[in-house]
Amino acid sequence: MMMISWIFLVIGLHAQPAYNQCLKDQQSLLLAFKNDLAYDPSSQIAKWNPSVDCCDWGGITCDKEGHVTGLDLSSQNVYGSINDSSSLFGLEFLQSLNLAYNDFDSLLGFSKRTQRLTYLNLSNAYSQGQLPVDFSLITSLVLSLTSCGLRGPLDSSLGNLKHLSVILLDGNNFCSGIPESLADLQNLTVLSLPGCDLTGLLPSKIFQVPTLKTIDLSGNEMLQGALPDSMGALELENLDLSGCGFSGPIPDSMQTLTRLRYLDLSANRFTGPIPSFQLSKNHLVWVNFYQNNLTGGIPSSHWEGFDTLEYLNLASNYLTGRFPESFLTLKSLRELDLSNNSFSGNINDPSNVSSYKLNTMDLSSNKFEGPIPGFIFKLAALSTLKLSSNKFTGRVDLHMFGRLKELQALDLSYNNLTVSVDRSESASLSEISTLKLASCNMQHFPDLKNRSRLWDLDLSYNQLSGEIPNWIWEVGNGFLRSLNLSHNRFSSLQKPYTFPFLLDVLDLHSNHLDGEIPIPPKRVYILDYSRNNFKSSIPVDFGNVLTSTFFFSASNNNLVGPIPQSICNASSLAVLDLSNNSLNGSLPSCLPTKTLKVLNLRGNNFTGNVLDEFTESCGLQTLDLSTNHLQGPLPQSLVKCKDLTVLDLGHNMITDNFPCWLNNLSNLHVFVIRSNRFHGNITCLGLGSNSIQIIDIASNRFSGVLPPTLFTSFKGIIDETRLNLGYLYFKHPLNSAIYYQDSVNVVFKGTSRELEKILNIFTSIDFSNNTFQGTIPVTVGDLKLLKLVNLSHNALSGLVPMSIGKLTNLESLDLSINKLSGSIPTQLARLSFLSVLNLSYNELSGRIPRGSQFDTFSDSSFMGNQGLCGTPLNKSCSVNATSELPRETDDDGSDLYVSIGIGFVVGFVMIVGPLVLLRRWRTWCSNHVDGLVSRIVKTKDERTGLR
């Protein structure tokens, strides 16, 4: 909207001088038009008086003959319908019609009778329907129908408006492509279609309309295409394609544009370098390339002499190189954002700094090094300075920034800086409202008592200790909104204290705070008390002050007692984490509430049944009730939680069959029920077939066989193309900085370990400590992404499947304490990531395979197998000792057996051939070798017969 604000100044062509002596037929038509509508009594149309010349009525313009040429009823609260019979269309000399910002429910009848119109504005006047087809009969120069609720498609007949110069259709819902016929409008100067749900490819011919000066297609995410080289021939002044799906390079031909003043290509997928816009340097005011895939350096010479440039945003790309010093010579520059790139090196102190109007500089999340450059302290107008997440070094006195009298926001977090505090400089930073000094090696709390404007303070990840001073709650004159003191060494809150009423964010986690858990202010939105030493019970009315709270965590403390029933009044709570305390009692019947997305009560002493009732409105994504004393069956209503991603009920006393109904949870990534009392078979197991990555049903009472189709249903572990690297977490729908990180315990090398972050490529299956029988399904080899397999402590028999050798990502394999027989497949020795192997206490035999990984395993990986020999066991193999012939192939394996068998016979004959000249050896050969060949051929025939 900023870009096209000038348009309405230009298209004020409908304003003409008013003349008296209104013709009677014109007055009659206007009064009839008035009678067809409803309107507010205070509006202009309500004051139309028949005894007054109609050319003097509000909103009416006449020519010198008394014809009505202009009608402006914009923003007059007029409503009703305009149709074919409306007297409006009797005004044949009407040239300008403005009905914007009213509420018509029908707009029909615009036909040849309105062909004199040169200006038509129906913006925000029409609430439904398609663009009327008969608009195509108007020859108007300006067409404005912004935010009219129009629905698509965008009709190609618009291309028939040969005289059309301005199209303003912002904020409608066309859900279609842009018709190529618009390229036929050879007088078109303004094409504005932002936020119209446009789709498909943008016709490249649009950029060949020679008169185009303004193109605004912003906010159409599904609109795609590339910028053609031909656009360099245009006289473009304003180009806004932000928030679309355009890709490809920014064409070099744009370097020839000479009148460009507004350029916004942000939030697309443009690639390659940024071209020079030197030919437009006398006009450019706004440049925004935020959030693309642009690469390369920024030559300082490309930005010299841009004396009109006020806004430059290159953030969130892949730009490299040093800081362009020419940016500091731009006399009109007010905002500079280079954040989230890969700029590097020291920033020099140039002698010719002239960007004295600069009020915002964001260099965060780059790789800048060295000391903070001194020129910063010369930028007297600077109000926002962000240098966080770089590699700046050195010691900085906080009071130095007091030289910047206009400074309101300062962020030095996450560098290699040491920020010192001079407590005598109490007057510095008097205008500061946002101060972020996380991970700045601070040892003393800065004196901020008199900072009346401060509302956002972050001193996390420092070395602050002792009491949290009670004056901190009074900064900002009691209007403190956000306070983060996490990851320090605070031991207590200085008393007495009163939390400010407007405090939205209170983060005290990872300190040494003890005593009673503090009751927060009533409107707190983010509340984190986790990883402290609070030892009290949760106050009975604690939930009553959480009515506005979105996130509450008090995990990893020493809280005791029950969860108060008042938690049911926390009607906005999305994340509740009380894990790893000593809470007890039964779970409140209201949990989970309608808004709850994450419920983590792991590691407490809760008793009774699992939550009784899950409703259709259940929005849970994470449910972790592990390591408690919960009993009873698993409630079937849990299947209503369709968004469930993590379900961990391990280490309880739940008694039930396998919950087959959970197969309907298609978003489930993590399923853990280990160490409970589940029983029966698992023949129906197919959990979360599209997403599952961690399954742990160990240490229960499951029995029966592992069905052959078991592993084929785990598509999340099979398909290597399905995963994009990331973690499992829940984040705020509007603020990604607010999130809950999922975690889970897995057994690795016999020890339970917590994965504090669950990488979505981490996959594991643990069926250990049950009584499963039968063979291991060959289909286990289809789980290409599998990293951990534990089938130990069962009664499995048969061979170790050769297909396990296809698990190229496997890091841990435990098949110990079963009844597996045969040899160890040599394919296992080729698993280059395998770091943990346990095949002990089975009935395996033959030589232990050798290989780079196998040679690192100790004898404990193979002990308890009487038939095994070779390194690392102390049992040597006989000269003729070999591994048993493999019994598993990708097909029936018959040809393999014949080939190996015949090869053995040929070799045997070659060795003993000379001996068979003796009669005794000839007789032995006839009786034994021929029999061996018969058995091999018989084996093939039998296996073929099974097909």
Side-chain angles (χ1 to χ4, degrees), residues 143 247 251 302 330-331 357 360 431 518 567 621 796 823 876 887 930 937:
L143 176 63
S247 57
H302 282 191
L330 305 179
K331 298 176 181 179
K357 293 183 179 180
T360 298
E431 299 296 315
I567 200 70
Q621 296 180 23
L796 298 170
S823 63
S876 300
R887 303 295 176 93
D930 291 346
V937 174

Side-chain angles (χ1 to χ4, degrees), residues 208-227:
Q208 297 175 10
V209 179
T211 54
L212 264 177
K213 297 183 183 302
T214 294
I215 300 176
D216 187 354
L217 303 176
S218 59
N220 291 289
E221 295 181 6
M222 303 302 291
L223 185 63
Q224 301 177 1
L227 298 183

Side-chain angles (χ1 to χ4, degrees), residues 698-943:
S699 301
N700 279 282
R701 300 171 184 176
F702 289 119
S703 58
V705 300
L706 302 179
T709 59
L710 173 65
F711 299 120
T712 59
S713 63
F714 301 150
K715 298 201 175 3
I717 309 179
I718 293 176
D719 190 352
E720 296 176 283
T721 66
R722 298 174 66 90
L723 290 178
N724 294 316
L725 186 64
Y727 294 97
L728 297 186
Y729 63 95
F730 164 75
K731 66 179 180 180
H732 192 285
L734 300 178
N735 186 351
S736 59
I738 303 173
Y739 68 95
Y740 166 85
Q741 185 72 64
D742 284 307
S743 62
V744 68
N745 287 316
V746 297
V747 175
F748 189 70
K749 294 185 179 181
T751 303
S752 180
R753 301 184 182 181
E754 182 179 9
L755 297 180
E756 293 187 356
K757 295 182 178 181
I758 306 175
L759 196 64
N760 62 358
I761 61 171
F762 179 84
T763 54
S764 71
I765 291 177
D766 193 341
F767 290 179
S768 62
N769 286 288
N770 284 286
T771 55
F772 291 118
Q773 301 175 344
T775 60
I776 300 173
V778 176
T779 53
V780 69
D782 295 334
L783 304 180
K784 298 177 183 179
L785 298 174
L786 200 56
K787 293 185 178 296
L788 185 153
V789 178
N790 191 346
L791 302 178
S792 66
H793 293 81
N794 280 287
L796 298 170
S797 58
L799 303 177
V800 176
M802 285 194 302
S803 62
I804 293 179
K806 297 190 295 183
L807 303 180
T808 55
N809 292 294
L810 196 63
E811 297 179 13
S812 176
L813 175 64
D814 190 346
L815 304 178
S816 63
I817 312 181
N818 279 286
K819 300 178 181 179
L820 300 172
S821 58
S823 63
I824 300 174
T826 57
Q827 289 83 355
L828 269 62
R830 295 196 287 267
L831 296 176
S832 56
F833 291 106
L834 192 65
S835 59
V836 177
L837 176 68
N838 193 348
L839 301 177
S840 62
Y841 298 100
N842 279 283
E843 299 172 5
L844 300 172
S845 59
R847 185 186 300 273
I848 297 174
R850 301 295 302 273
S852 58
Q853 288 301 107
F854 260 59
D855 291 348
T856 65
F857 299 134
S858 67
D859 59 351
S860 62
S861 296
F862 306 101
M863 65 174 54
N865 291 279
Q866 298 300 318
L868 284 179
C869 61
T871 307
L873 297 177
N874 292 325
K875 180 180 178 181
S876 300
C877 297
S878 63
V879 175
N880 296 324
T882 60
S883 299
E884 290 186 11
L885 295 178
R887 303 295 176 93
E888 175 195 342
T889 63
D890 291 336
D891 47 28
D892 66 0
S894 55
D895 293 332
L896 178 63
Y897 283 98
V898 173
S899 300
I900 294 175
I902 292 178
F904 173 80
V905 172
V906 172
F908 180 85
V909 171
M910 290 177 65
I911 294 172
V912 302
L915 298 178
V916 298
L917 295 175
L918 298 175
R919 181 174 181 179
R920 185 174 58 179
W921 285 101
R922 198 165 51 243
T923 303
W924 185 95
C925 181
S926 175
N927 293 337
H928 292 82
V929 175
D930 291 346
L932 177 59
V933 173
S934 298
R935 286 198 296 274
I936 294 172
V937 174
K938 182 179 178 182
T939 300
K940 177 178 180 179
D941 292 340
E942 289 176 347
R943 291 172 63 85

Side-chain angles (χ1 to χ4, degrees), residues 242-256:
S242 60
C244 293
F246 291 100
S247 57
I250 300 173
D252 289 337
S253 63
M254 288 189 71
Q255 296 181 105
T256 64

Side-chain angles (χ1 to χ4, degrees), residues 312-430:
L312 179 58
N313 190 339
L314 307 181
S316 298
N317 283 284
Y318 300 96
L319 301 172
T320 57
R322 299 178 69 86
F323 179 84
E325 293 183 13
S326 59
F327 289 165
L328 301 176
T329 66
L330 305 179
K331 298 176 181 179
S332 300
L333 192 63
R334 297 179 183 276
E335 294 189 35
L336 175 64
D337 192 344
L338 304 181
S339 62
N340 290 290
N341 279 288
S342 295
F343 291 111
S344 59
N346 286 24
I347 301 178
N348 297 326
D349 266 324
S351 58
N352 58 339
V353 175
S354 53
S355 298
Y356 295 122
K357 293 183 179 180
L358 193 64
N359 59 48
T360 298
M361 176 184 282
D362 190 347
L363 306 182
S364 60
S365 299
N366 279 283
K367 300 175 182 178
F368 291 121
E369 302 173 349
I372 293 177
F375 71 80
I376 286 177
F377 302 103
K378 300 176 184 178
L379 303 175
L382 206 60
S383 63
T384 298
L385 177 62
K386 296 181 180 181
L387 303 177
S388 62
S389 301
N390 280 285
K391 299 178 181 179
F392 289 117
T393 58
R395 189 177 189 87
V396 181
D397 291 329
L398 186 59
H399 73 85
M400 292 174 60
F401 294 93
R403 302 176 192 173
L404 303 173
K405 302 301 182 183
E406 304 297 323
L407 194 62
Q408 298 177 20
L410 174 64
D411 191 351
L412 304 178
S413 305
Y414 306 111
N415 283 282
N416 297 318
L417 296 169
T418 297
V419 175
S420 60
V421 177
D422 187 343
R423 299 186 181 184
S424 64
E425 292 287 338
S426 59
S428 64
L429 300 174
S430 59

Side-chain angles (χ1 to χ4, degrees), residues 286-322:
W286 181 287
V287 175
N288 191 352
F289 292 127
Y290 166 74
Q291 202 175 55
N292 279 282
N293 298 313
L294 301 172
T295 56
I298 305 295
S300 191
S301 60
H302 282 191
W303 295 94
E304 292 176 350
F306 283 75
D307 291 338
T308 60
L309 191 62
E310 297 180 7
Y311 180 90
L312 179 58
N313 190 339
L314 307 181
S316 298
N317 283 284
Y318 300 96
L319 301 172
T320 57
R322 299 178 69 86

